[in-house]
Amino acid sequence: MFFYNFSESDGENMTVFVTGGAGFIGSNFIFYMVKKHPDYRIVCIDKLTYAGNLSTLEPVLNNENFRFVKLDICNREEIFKLFEEEAPSIVVNFAAESHVDRSIEDPGIFLKTNILGTQTLMDACRKYGIKRYHQVSTDEVYGDLPLDRPDMFFTEETPIHTSSPYSASKASADLLVQAYHRTFGLPITISRCSNNYGPYHFPEKLIPLMIANALNDKPLPVYGEGLNIRDWLYVEDHCKAIDMIIHDGKVGEVYNIGGHNEKTNIYIVKKILELLGKSEDLITFVTDRKGHDLRYAIDPAKIKRDLGWEPDTMFDDGIVKTVNWYLENREWWETIINGEYQNYYEKMYGNR
């Protein structure tokens, strides 16, 4: 099957749609792309739900090659209109409801955004023609691994085995993306990443929540005994991988992106307390999450072999950079905690 390879000359007229670009990973990806490919036009589409924060994008809002559009990816009419207007070459879909605990409370919105929103984007891609549609997925579609088998890792061939409404919705989207490739010949790629961390991480997630609570001398809630293991990936390393996939990855392929930085939750919490000079007495163990996955661990051999990617940032270095970022950008996360961040859009666009 034919697939498109990009050349340097394509960049001058390249328009890239980044959905969910006001969220954690999406915003970091936009910063990475603006720096790496200054000739590209970047169009950010974001509904600005609880996890979308327009103030995060303040460094690029006035860039002449950047445009922000407040839009739900499920809004078929407006999505199609935007595709016709901008004629994107690449679509990178970060837009997703992504908090596991919220998916347990209200599965419906996860199914709508993560599955039907993906369908809407791909239908628009089919109608208006794109060179690459990239679906950003998660290692959670594989389920979990036993704690006593450190030799086991997720590969691209690991069967899908979901544990939560969130991971089930992401797995469903992945299958739909693959079906659109096989049925309609849509030029797609999929990446499944391990847990990301770094600047602009929404404060209800583990690492920023622990940093914020520790700085405010509040209890640090840890599920169960804190022995669940995650493979942590510094967000800039993830952005670099996606950039490589959309330019050089083979159409139709899935690529796992992992950091080879497996840590227990309790190790991370204690490390944050150590870096902030806070007492471990702040740790409070709470009832474990329903269906809580034990261990995630990715084997990124394929992306290293095919594209030459590997992570640059080891966890003990990345967590120092992350803690320092939160210390230096308290206003950013404090406005999220108090809810003021949701007024930023009206401030910026209310009179436009």
Side-chain angles (χ1 to χ4, degrees):
M1 180 176 290
F2 170 81
F3 62 92
Y4 187 90
N5 280 322
F6 296 103
S7 65
E8 290 299 319
S9 60
D10 292 323
E12 297 176 4
N13 298 312
M14 188 81 75
T15 296
V16 181
F17 277 12
V18 181
T19 67
F24 166 44
I25 307 175
S27 61
N28 276 280
F29 181 71
I30 287 173
F31 299 146
Y32 183 90
M33 292 294 285
V34 166
K35 183 177 179 180
K36 179 78 179 295
H37 304 286
D39 293 335
Y40 285 19
R41 176 168 171 77
I42 308 294
V43 178
C44 173
I45 301 166
D46 200 293
K47 186 181 177 182
L48 296 182
T49 60
Y50 73 93
N53 185 356
L54 186 61
S55 68
T56 298
L57 296 171
E58 194 166 6
V60 297
L61 286 177
N62 293 322
N63 187 306
E64 62 180 6
N65 284 335
F66 177 80
R67 178 187 178 189
F68 175 81
V69 181
K70 184 181 180 183
L71 181 59
D72 186 344
I73 61 170
C74 295
N75 187 331
R76 194 175 188 86
E77 181 180 351
E78 292 300 319
I79 286 291
F80 274 55
K81 186 184 297 182
L82 188 62
F83 268 74
E84 185 168 352
E85 179 182 342
E86 291 282 358
S89 301
I90 303 173
V91 176
V92 183
N93 182 26
F94 291 94
E97 297 286 344
S98 64
H99 197 282
V100 174
D101 288 336
R102 288 178 182 254
S103 80
I104 294 170
E105 294 298 321
D106 182 14
I109 186 63
F110 284 72
L111 305 185
K112 180 180 179 183
T113 298
N114 298 357
I115 303 172
L116 297 181
T118 297
Q119 178 205 2
T120 298
L121 291 172
M122 291 194 297
D123 285 345
C125 289
R126 288 184 60 213
K127 180 173 181 178
Y128 294 103
I130 50 121
K131 296 172 181 175
R132 180 66 56 92
Y133 173 87
H134 183 74
Q135 179 75 3
V136 180
S137 189
T138 170
D139 60 356
E140 293 188 46
V141 302
Y142 297 125
D144 62 355
L145 297 167
L147 294 177
D148 60 354
R149 289 293 306 276
D151 58 314
M152 292 181 66
F153 297 91
F154 296 137
T155 73
E156 289 81 0
E157 306 305 317
T158 300
I160 286 175
H161 185 70
T162 61
S163 303
S164 70
Y166 161 63
S167 58
S169 69
K170 291 296 289 184
S172 300
D174 286 4
L175 294 173
L176 188 63
V177 170
Q178 291 175 316
Y180 266 60
H181 171 59
R182 182 162 182 171
T183 304
F184 303 116
L186 189 69
I188 67 95
T189 41
I190 298 171
S191 59
R192 294 172 180 155
C193 68
S194 56
N195 284 48
N196 281 222
Y197 69 105
Y200 299 107
H201 204 174
F202 195 73
E204 70 179 32
K205 299 289 188 170
L206 176 68
I207 288 177
L209 175 65
M210 297 303 155
I211 294 171
N213 280 18
L215 286 173
N216 291 315
D217 293 312
K218 292 183 177 180
L220 276 58
V222 176
Y223 283 129
E225 297 178 8
L227 299 180
N228 303 71
I229 293 174
R230 299 294 180 260
D231 176 12
W232 290 93
L233 176 66
Y234 193 64
V235 66
E236 188 174 10
D237 288 337
H238 186 193
C239 296
K240 176 183 175 183
I242 293 175
D243 180 40
M244 296 173 79
I245 292 170
I246 61 177
H247 287 92
D248 300 312
K250 185 178 179 181
V251 163
E253 293 294 311
V254 175
Y255 294 92
N256 282 351
I257 309 171
H260 272 321
N261 285 285
E262 291 184 56
K263 305 293 180 185
T264 62
N265 289 347
I266 194 65
Y267 172 87
I268 289 171
V269 173
K270 289 182 177 180
K271 185 68 175 180
I272 289 169
L273 290 169
E274 175 192 329
L275 291 171
L276 293 174
K278 298 288 186 175
S279 170
E280 292 184 6
D281 291 340
L282 290 173
I283 296 172
T284 302
F285 294 100
V286 298
T287 303
D288 208 352
R289 169 194 290 159
K290 296 177 181 177
H292 199 178
D293 287 336
L294 296 175
R295 172 176 171 255
Y296 302 151
I298 274 186
D299 178 1
K302 178 179 178 178
I303 190 172
K304 180 179 180 180
R305 180 185 69 244
D306 292 0
L307 302 178
W309 177 90
E310 55 185 340
D312 295 322
T313 308
M314 293 297 100
F315 183 81
D316 284 346
D317 297 323
I319 193 64
V320 172
K321 291 198 289 186
T322 300
V323 168
N324 286 338
W325 188 89
Y326 279 87
L327 285 170
E328 294 165 4
N329 293 272
R330 289 189 69 134
E331 183 179 0
W332 180 85
W333 54 266
E334 285 176 345
T335 59
I336 292 176
I337 290 174
N338 64 33
E340 291 179 10
Y341 78 105
Q342 293 182 322
N343 300 321
Y344 187 84
Y345 178 83
E346 289 302 320
K347 175 183 172 183
M348 291 296 296
Y349 289 93
N351 296 320
R352 295 189 181 184

